[in-house]
Amino acid sequence: MTRKRREQAVIAVNRFGLGARPGELEEVARDPREWVLAQLEKPASAGKALDRLPDSQDYQKRFTEWRQRFYAARRAAEKNNGEADEPGFGQTFRQELLDEVNLRAAWQCETPSPVMERLVMFWSNHFTVSAEKQMLRLLAGSMEREVIRPGMSGDFASMLLAVEQHPAMLLYLDNIQSIGPDSPAGRRQNQMAEKKGKPKRGLNENLGREILELHTLGVDGGYQQQDVEELARGITGWRPWFASRKAPKLGEHGSVFVNSLHQPGERVLLGRNFEQKGAVQGRSMLRHLASRPETAGFVAHKLARHFVADEPPKALVKKLASIYQSHQGKLLPVYRALFTSEEAWQPGAPKFRRPDEYLIAVHRALNHQPDVKRGRWRAEMKLLGQLPFQPGAPAGWGDRAGDWIGADGLWKRVWMALRYGRYLDKDIDPMELALASIGPALSEETSLAISTAANHRQGAALVLASPEFQWR
């Protein structure tokens, strides 16, 4: 096996995948590019691994039932000067909250299709929802399962519509609070508010703004404040099911359309008129955004930045954007072009592993499965600075080395390496671990440190804490 083939195998499993499992580098070295491309055609399904988890509609029904019991118990307790005996949200849904994090982590550590799993992680971060509200602690994971996993191999427009109609996104970016001022319900509510001297309710622009800035055109995509307002008007009435349980269905995963909240009239977005009525108007506006050249460039840049370099080659970005447009937003041709480009296979390690990528790579290198019965994975991710399903802003987790490299973060990775060093099988020499996970990227300095380690556990820790293991 040539050295170049081995170097490309390291790129395949680390830069495009989630880290090498024992023996995987040798297998991939036979044809690294084919190993990557084959996963696009026949990815392993996460179905069985995640099937036990409820869907979004079920979560909303169970949440609604719990909330009714909880407030009824609290009212009864206040009336009788006692204490409510209905358990709180965290206690009631403890197992579901653990399962959402742990079963996903277990699949990431064992999946035979790590390239596709990396794409799941990419798109979940692109279409960020953060579990900062009770219901979102359940729905963030179900959105990934219901619309990201099945949608990321199709066309961007379809995935965009599914995401923006999902109850998790409607709740996270406050579309649940958005009311058309001239809608029947809006006029009625504002008349009542005026009589009572209370503030009037109206549009909430959060979802419309983030669709333009973060999901489609990008911050430099040429839209104006008027476009934000028009898009926000076009998607008024889009709500999670639990907020309007008798309204007609919107999408496939537990959202509804309340026509009485929808701002009537024609919309103008980026110079194009949208005369459609009802929920169709917002859908048409989203499809138009998906077809824009600015969206093609924005998606292309983010993909190249995630998989190739913090400052991706402009020629590669331009090529990916062109393929996006020529294939009407179909994503598989874009992935193929990305993973067969010469820019993507250049030697070196231009991307620093995020905490989730690092912890997954540690488990894969050691062939160790995370504990799915307790909250250890969540606790370790919190320590490393990336609490599962809870980025601090709609822009998602940072995707550049500078977002994660720091003295505190690096020290915590060293601590984590020491913790996991004990899981290396006693029959496996730490140098074998290094060659199986880092391969020809292993430096002389790291090799010397491993060979002179005081004991087996320390040797394994040196591999997992090495500079080569931090980069992909």
Side-chain angles (χ1 to χ4, degrees):
M1 198 74 67
T2 65
R3 180 178 177 82
K4 182 178 180 180
R5 192 66 67 85
R6 292 196 299 271
E7 289 175 345
Q8 290 194 335
V10 172
I11 291 173
V13 299
N14 290 326
R15 190 177 300 173
F16 307 141
L18 291 169
R21 302 183 76 184
E24 195 167 27
L25 277 181
E26 294 179 10
E27 173 193 339
V28 176
R30 297 171 189 162
D31 195 336
R33 300 193 186 203
E34 178 57 30
W35 179 82
V36 173
L37 294 175
Q39 293 179 49
L40 301 179
E41 307 302 329
K42 294 182 179 180
S45 172
K48 291 183 179 179
L50 304 177
D51 271 349
R52 75 174 75 172
L53 296 168
D55 61 26
S56 293
Q57 184 71 33
D58 189 21
Y59 271 145
Q60 291 184 84
K61 289 179 179 178
R62 291 161 63 177
F63 175 81
T64 302
E65 292 167 357
W66 164 79
R67 188 171 59 176
Q68 290 172 342
R69 295 193 308 269
F70 181 81
Y71 285 110
R74 194 163 76 173
R75 287 192 297 269
E78 290 172 352
K79 183 177 180 180
N80 299 318
N81 296 319
E83 293 185 3
D85 58 1
E86 178 66 27
F89 175 87
Q91 186 177 352
T92 301
F93 294 100
R94 180 180 181 277
Q95 192 58 54
E96 289 85 352
L97 294 171
L98 281 174
D99 285 347
E100 284 289 352
V101 171
N102 291 341
L103 296 182
R104 176 195 192 221
W107 174 247
Q108 290 169 335
C109 293
E110 71 178 11
T111 178
S113 298
V115 176
M116 295 302 286
E117 196 63 25
R118 275 285 302 285
L119 283 165
V120 172
M121 295 161 69
F122 168 83
W123 286 114
S124 286
N125 199 48
H126 179 83
F127 292 115
T128 291
V129 294
S130 181
E132 58 190 34
K133 302 171 185 175
Q134 283 183 338
M135 174 69 82
L136 280 169
R137 293 176 65 189
L138 299 169
L139 294 180
S142 63
M143 191 187 92
E144 181 180 276
R145 288 184 279 111
E146 292 166 349
V147 300
I148 299 297
R149 289 186 179 279
M152 66 179 190
S153 295
D155 65 276
F156 181 79
S158 296
M159 183 165 56
L160 177 68
L161 262 68
V163 165
E164 309 306 351
Q165 293 179 138
H166 196 277
M169 189 64 75
L170 298 174
L171 178 60
Y172 175 51
L173 290 176
D174 303 316
N175 217 62
I176 191 174
Q177 300 174 15
S178 189
I179 298 174
D182 300 318
S183 67
R187 290 197 303 268
R188 189 165 56 248
Q189 291 184 24
N190 287 332
Q191 287 172 0
M192 293 175 61
E194 189 173 6
K195 289 180 180 179
K196 296 179 180 180
K198 295 182 178 181
K200 294 182 179 181
R201 297 183 64 187
L203 286 181
N204 187 297
E205 300 173 5
N206 287 355
L207 180 55
R209 184 179 307 281
E210 304 306 2
I211 288 173
L212 293 169
E213 179 178 330
L214 300 176
H215 300 170
T216 57
L217 306 177
V219 67
D220 299 319
Y223 64 89
Q224 305 297 323
Q225 173 60 23
Q226 179 184 347
D227 298 308
V228 173
E229 295 171 3
E230 285 288 78
L231 181 55
R233 294 183 182 104
I235 57 176
T236 45
W238 293 24
R239 314 189 89 199
W241 170 85
F242 76 91
S244 302
R245 283 174 275 171
K246 295 182 180 180
K249 180 178 177 182
L250 174 77
E252 300 297 323
H253 305 290
S255 55
V256 295
F257 176 70
V258 184
N259 192 56
S260 63
L261 296 173
H262 182 68
Q263 176 72 5
E266 179 181 313
R267 307 269 76 82
V268 180
L269 177 67
L270 301 171
R272 175 172 291 194
N273 290 6
F274 293 87
E275 301 177 355
Q276 300 88 343
K277 296 180 179 180
V280 177
Q281 186 177 69
R283 293 189 186 116
S284 298
M285 295 170 85
L286 291 177
R287 289 192 184 93
H288 177 59
L289 289 172
S291 71
R292 298 281 299 196
E294 298 89 347
T295 298
F298 184 59
V299 169
H301 185 273
K302 287 192 71 172
L303 278 166
R305 187 181 72 195
H306 182 74
F307 284 99
V308 179
D310 287 358
E311 299 299 330
K314 292 182 180 179
L316 175 61
V317 172
K318 184 177 181 180
K319 177 182 177 182
L320 298 181
S322 175
I323 290 172
Y324 176 105
Q325 290 183 278
S326 64
H327 287 83
Q328 292 77 50
K330 290 182 175 64
L331 292 170
L332 281 178
V334 179
Y335 303 154
R336 291 190 194 100
L338 171 63
F339 295 137
T340 56
S341 68
E342 289 304 315
E343 296 97 327
W345 291 89
Q346 294 303 306
K351 294 294 295 184
F352 189 76
R353 278 178 165 146
R354 295 185 324 196
D356 56 351
E357 296 169 346
Y358 173 71
L359 196 56
I360 293 166
V362 166
H363 282 75
R364 290 177 71 87
L366 296 171
N367 201 27
H368 179 71
Q369 277 298 94
D371 183 350
V372 297
K373 295 182 180 179
R374 299 176 180 84
R376 180 170 175 173
W377 185 274
R378 185 178 186 276
E380 291 179 343
M381 285 296 298
K382 182 179 181 180
L383 177 71
L384 292 171
Q386 195 182 5
L387 194 61
F389 295 122
Q390 205 160 335
W397 301 111
D399 199 27
R400 294 181 174 90
D403 298 318
W404 300 108
I405 292 180
D408 182 68
L410 292 175
W411 165 244
K412 287 173 179 175
R413 294 190 187 208
V414 171
W415 181 87
M416 202 68 69
L418 286 167
R419 181 175 191 173
Y420 277 96
R422 62 194 172 101
Y423 290 109
L424 179 63
D425 192 301
K426 297 298 182 184
D427 295 330
I428 300 176
D429 187 270
M431 189 59 71
E432 293 180 55
L433 173 67
L435 293 174
S437 57
I438 301 172
L442 183 66
S443 69
E444 292 184 9
E445 293 82 1
T446 299
S447 179
L448 178 61
I450 295 168
S451 63
T452 57
N455 52 54
H456 185 267
R457 179 178 179 179
Q458 186 184 84
L462 285 167
V463 176
L464 304 176
S466 67
E468 297 92 321
F469 200 90
Q470 308 304 315
W471 294 80
R472 60 172 178 83

